[in-house]
Every structure is written in structure tokens, then in C-alpha cells.
Amino acid sequence: MSRKVTDKVVEPGAGARHVTTVIVGSGFAGLGLAIRLRQQGREDFLVLERGSEVGGTWRDNTYPGAACDVPSHLYSYSFAPNPDWTRSFSKQGEIQSYIKSVAERYDVLDRHVFDCDVQSVRWNEATAQWDIRTTKGEFTADTVVSAVGALCEPSLPDIKGINGFEGEIFHSARWNHDADLTGKRVAVIGTGASSIQIVPAIASKVATLDVYQRTAPWLLPRMDRPYLLPERLAFKHLPVVQRLSRAAIYAARETQVVGLTRFPALMKAFEAISRAKLQIEIRDSELRKKVTPNYRIGCKRMLISNDYYPALDRDNVDVVTDGIAEVKAGSIVTKDGTEREIDALIVATGFHVTDSPTYNSIVGRDGRTLTEVFDQIGQQAYKGSAIANFPNMFFLVGPNVGLGHTSMVYMIESQINYVSDALATIDKQGLRTVEVREDVQHAYNADLQEKLGKTVWNTGGCASWYLDKHGNNTTLWPDFTFEFRRLTRYFDADAYTTTTADADREVVAAQ
């Protein structure tokens, strides 16, 4: 049985508790690193998690129809394969159950502090430690690893009057399960990955459904099916079968990199599939025109669904492409003056990716927050894992680690290799501080942006959440994922400015 020490942490106002390493967040990334540290024999670490259990985005996103768009066998830890997946693309509940089972199996829940919202993380130059203030008390740590993830802070639209809406209103990532939408007039703002799952799930239950679309997404078929009993038995009793399945899925997904990053013209094959799908599934020619994208496929996130277009084609569903001018107490007014009455409003407008509010709470060596640093230089990191001005801090799923074609778990495990080796190097060499050199960081990012300039994400004619306010793509990795795995296999201390505890003691003695 797993051990829990959630209730043993210091309360606010008590003396700060010191640990060697603090991990912030326990989704796939934070949990994976916690498991690795325990496997290495490290015990002096804590995972601070604002939720009541592990899971991250899969704990929080419980909206109807929530599911993954990466095949199940690839969207899981390589060290913890799950032979019990029920279908080729798993739904939210099954993924969350898997994450919880892994935490139990690897016995790391005792190192978690749940319901612990991190309010500030500030570098203390005098102690060469991080001072951490949370809702569960104060902590200090030699090293902090941010694993909060890119899709954790809901982005709310800045629309006139939206705060005065008197009906049910909630973000897709904060779904109100007490709200009964049956027979109601409902509006959904957004047509991204969440919306295309929500719309089919509720379209048959509501009286009317208005889908407010700013940009039409490209949709591909969702090759989803339940696993047959013989397959599940093979996965369970012949592990090699599951490993081969995972390898085949990985290889197939990786072929998309050629079109996405090197020869965007190759994406026309996917575009042809998507256009054929649209032609078959949308009967109304006017509606088909509305939902046909006007940019190259792949420029924005490619989505998969078999029921989104048929849902839009229902008589009680309307796609609205006129911009929203105002939200009133019980209606939405578009810029053409049309007013549509509604009872409930679902906001499916994504997340703060390049401007996360969490950046405001991290204060580096020179007193600037991470937000202030990014405002000046743009959102950038070295190997997505370290940022100059923030010594002894590492990031999982940091800048330019995201993907548009395959499993983020692969990238997360690559970063776990890098960060865990960094911690081992700190111990082995007796290092007091490690901070990535600015020249190394800038050179690395200059190379990234040069590569990104040739990709479909930068040349496809769209605006997306991949770009920061400087116009740079600071979200995606512009190469094969195995190349990122190679770059992060070992910690490269020569790219960092380091100090040692022995050198500090020598300075004090000389004084």
C-alpha cells in the first residue's frame, strides 16, 4: 500500500521545511520524474500538487467526450505499459485511472503534498536555495523542477459583457457536472481539440447549440475501435506484442515530421483526406463552406474526429462565423447585430500556453519574474529544460518541447533523462549552483527558430497558440523526436555556469 504524508506538511506560518528537490505539478511529467528519483534511491524530494490527486490535465478535463488523440499504447510511460487498454484511443477516465495506478504501483504518493497551491518560488542568493510559499506552508529547496505543463491554465476570452452572463457558464477544463444542459439553448465558443469532442457529446441532448467559430480546424478520421479480446490477451500475456504495437505506432507517427518540418507540400496528402471527409460528412453546401479551413493543414493542430461534422450537420446545431460583439445576461450578440438567446455558455478557448500566469510567481536570480524575462527575450529555454537567470531550476514540458503529431510522453521521458542526470551530476561534482549560460541558450534558440522558419507552422498561413507575442513559435519541437531524445540523453554541464560548495567555503574562510 502506498504511503501518504499529505497531512504531515508544515502549516502556513510555521518554519520552512527544507528538501533537496521540489517538483511542482504531478501530471505525466512531475509523476514520471518522482518515479525516476525514487528509482535512483533519492528520498529527499517532494511533489507539490494543487489538485487533490495526480493526473494533471487528465484529472482536470472531465468534459463530455474527453479523450486522447494519440493511440493508447504510445500515450503511456515506456516503463509502465498498460496491457488493459480497452480501445485504440483512450478516453479521459481510463487515462486518469492509468496515471493513478502508476503512482500507486511505483509507491511515490508518500512524496506528494496534495491541495498545495504554489504561490511563489523565489531564488535566495544568500542561501543559494529556492524559497517556496504555498497554501500548505513554506518550503526551501536546493533545486526546483517545474512540471506544471502547458495546458493547465484556462484561457478566458476577453469579450464585452461576458462576466454579466446570468446563465450557466464554465470553461471546458472546469466542467460543471451539476449543470443539466438537457433541453437548454447552449453556445460553445471555440472549435479546437476540446470543442470538437464536446459538441458531438451534447448536440443530441440540448434544444439548440450555437458553435462560435473563429477559425475552422482541419479534421482527419479518428481510427478508434475497441480492442478485441484476443488482442487484449496477447497484450497481457505476450508483452512483446504490445512493445511491437507501440513501436509501430511511434514509427508511423514520426513519418509526419517530414511534411510538418521539411517539405510542407507533402501535407497535401493529409489535406486531401480531410477534404474528402468534409465532403462526405457535411451535406449542406453552405455549412461545408463555413467549416472549410483557409490555411495549409498542419499549420494549426490537426484534429481527429468521426462525429464532429455529423453533429454540425444536425438541424438543432448552427455554426456562427461572425465575431462576437457582446455577451448579454441571456444572449450573445454578433458583430452583424444578430442576437441569439442562450441558457448556457461553454467556453472552449484553450489555455495560456505562451503567457502562463504561473510565470509571474517564479522570481529569478536578478529579481525578475519569468514573465518579465520572457517579455524581454521571448519564451525560450535551453533544451526546453533550463533558463538563464534561474539557477538550480529545471522545466519539464518547457518552451519548444511540444508536438503536433505524436505522444508528449516520449518528450517528457527524454527530459526526465536530462533532469535526473543533472541532479546526479550536481551530487557527484558537489555543485552548489548550476545555471545555463546565456550565450548557449541564445545560440540554441537561434538554431531552433531558423529550423521553425521552414516548417508548416510558420509558413502555412495561420495564426495559432503556438506563437508567442513576439511572433516566434516557442511551443513546438521542429525535428524528429528521437533527435530530442539524443540531445537530452545526458546532462551537459559545460553548457552551464557552476559553483561548488567547497569554493564558497574557501571564500568565507579568506574573509
Side-chain angles (χ1 to χ4, degrees):
M1 181 179 293
S2 293
R3 300 156 290 177
K4 291 189 179 182
V5 296
T6 303
D7 297 327
K8 297 180 182 179
V9 302
V10 294
E11 293 301 320
R17 174 180 176 179
H18 181 77
V19 291
T20 300
T21 304
V22 160
I23 303 168
V24 182
S26 190
F28 263 109
L31 176 61
L33 180 60
I35 292 170
R36 178 68 63 85
L37 296 186
R38 176 146 274 176
Q39 289 175 330
Q40 290 180 333
R42 298 175 181 275
E43 293 295 326
D44 192 24
F45 70 90
L46 284 177
V47 183
L48 308 183
E49 169 54 58
R50 69 180 180 183
S52 59
E53 61 182 17
V54 299
T57 189
W58 294 107
R59 176 197 63 228
D60 295 340
N61 285 267
T62 60
Y63 58 80
C68 191
D69 57 5
V70 175
S72 306
H73 288 305
L74 188 58
Y75 199 77
S76 51
Y77 295 115
S78 63
F79 59 84
N82 178 20
D84 298 319
W85 292 121
T86 61
R87 56 190 314 111
S88 53
F89 288 82
S90 299
K91 296 183 178 181
Q92 175 269 332
E94 194 168 7
I95 297 173
Q96 176 63 3
S97 294
Y98 164 75
I99 297 172
K100 290 166 65 177
S101 71
V102 171
E104 290 278 354
R105 188 192 323 171
Y106 287 89
D107 197 21
V108 292
L109 290 175
D110 66 310
R111 307 316 304 162
H112 281 68
V113 184
F114 291 110
D115 300 309
C116 180
D117 193 9
V118 175
Q119 298 168 323
S120 71
V121 182
R122 181 179 293 271
W123 176 251
N124 188 323
E125 188 70 21
T127 62
Q129 294 175 345
W130 288 98
D131 295 335
I132 306 161
R133 182 167 53 85
T134 81
T135 54
K136 283 289 186 75
E138 297 180 356
F139 302 83
T140 60
D142 297 331
T143 306
V144 169
V145 181
S146 173
V148 297
L151 306 180
C152 67
E153 296 292 337
S155 176
L156 300 175
D158 183 15
I159 300 174
K160 178 183 177 183
I162 194 168
N163 293 327
F165 182 68
E166 295 179 355
E168 293 284 356
I169 178 171
F170 45 87
H171 191 278
S172 58
R174 301 292 183 266
W175 193 270
N176 181 5
H177 290 277
D178 293 329
D180 185 5
L181 301 179
T182 305
K184 300 290 180 62
R185 298 167 298 180
V186 180
V188 175
I189 300 177
T191 53
S194 299
S195 178
I196 70 158
Q197 295 180 340
I198 292 169
V199 168
I202 67 173
S204 63
K205 303 175 183 178
V206 303
T208 61
L209 179 59
D210 299 326
V211 181
Y212 286 83
Q213 171 188 283
R214 184 172 59 181
T215 307
W218 283 104
L219 259 64
L220 295 168
R222 185 178 183 86
M223 311 301 287
D224 187 23
R225 64 176 181 83
Y227 281 125
L228 302 175
L229 179 59
E231 292 175 298
R232 296 177 67 179
L233 289 174
F235 294 147
K236 190 162 190 171
H237 299 291
L238 297 171
V240 66
V241 174
Q242 189 174 15
R243 288 197 296 271
L244 289 173
S245 175
R246 180 185 176 97
I249 295 168
Y250 173 79
R253 290 272 170 152
E254 206 69 2
T255 61
Q256 295 182 29
V257 175
V258 179
L260 290 169
T261 68
R262 286 162 171 76
F263 304 104
L266 295 178
M267 298 304 294
K268 287 188 177 296
F270 290 96
E271 186 174 317
I273 295 171
S274 185
R275 287 187 183 278
K277 175 181 175 64
L278 198 156
Q279 187 72 27
I280 293 169
E281 296 179 352
I282 298 287
R283 296 169 299 172
D284 183 86
S285 60
E286 286 300 314
L287 175 59
R288 193 183 307 128
K289 184 177 179 181
K290 278 186 179 181
V291 298
T292 299
N294 60 0
Y295 55 90
R296 183 175 293 171
I297 193 170
C299 182
K300 294 170 74 74
R301 181 177 175 182
M302 293 182 291
L303 306 179
I304 58 173
S305 175
N306 296 332
D307 50 13
Y308 179 66
Y309 284 153
L312 297 185
D313 212 22
R314 293 176 57 92
D315 292 338
N316 68 325
V317 178
D318 187 20
V319 177
V320 183
T321 56
D322 298 305
I324 298 175
E326 180 182 5
V327 175
K328 294 186 176 181
S331 64
I332 293 179
V333 182
T334 49
K335 291 179 180 178
D336 66 350
T338 303
E339 183 171 358
R340 296 173 174 84
E341 294 185 350
I342 57 172
D343 304 305
L345 176 56
I346 299 167
V347 181
T349 49
F351 300 85
H352 289 282
V353 177
T354 61
D355 60 344
S356 174
T358 61
Y359 298 160
N360 286 316
S361 64
I362 302 174
V363 183
R365 177 175 44 79
D366 64 3
R368 289 183 297 161
T369 66
L370 189 53
T371 296
E372 291 170 326
V373 171
F374 284 164
D375 280 345
Q376 181 179 354
I377 66 171
Q379 182 174 296
Q380 61 174 248
Y382 177 61
K383 299 185 178 180
S385 305
I387 301 173
N389 189 55
F390 297 87
N392 292 14
M393 175 172 277
F394 297 97
F395 296 81
L396 299 179
V397 196
N400 289 110
V401 175
L403 299 172
H405 69 288
T406 191
S407 175
M408 274 303 301
V409 182
Y410 184 91
M411 299 293 275
I412 286 168
E413 289 193 30
S414 299
Q415 285 195 289
I416 288 173
N417 291 340
Y418 189 76
V419 173
S420 61
D421 193 49
L423 298 178
T425 301
I426 289 171
D427 288 348
K428 183 177 180 180
Q429 298 185 11
L431 301 178
R432 189 173 190 235
T433 63
V434 295
E435 179 182 350
V436 67
R437 290 163 32 204
E438 286 191 13
D439 62 316
V440 171
Q441 178 179 307
H442 291 161
Y444 175 83
N445 282 275
D447 181 61
L448 273 184
Q449 292 305 318
E450 182 179 354
K451 289 180 178 178
L452 283 160
K454 305 171 186 176
T455 67
V456 70
W457 308 308
N458 283 39
T459 63
C462 72
S464 73
W465 55 267
Y466 298 152
L467 310 180
D468 68 7
K469 70 178 187 179
H470 299 278
N472 293 322
N473 186 331
T474 59
T475 305
L476 298 179
W477 171 248
D479 209 333
F480 294 103
T481 59
F482 55 76
E483 177 64 15
F484 186 78
R485 176 67 59 91
R486 183 189 67 80
L487 289 175
T488 54
R489 189 169 301 279
Y490 301 108
F491 179 66
D492 47 347
D494 58 341
Y496 292 73
T497 299
T498 63
T499 65
T500 64
D502 289 341
D504 290 336
R505 283 193 290 268
E506 290 172 6
V507 170
V508 172
Q511 293 175 341

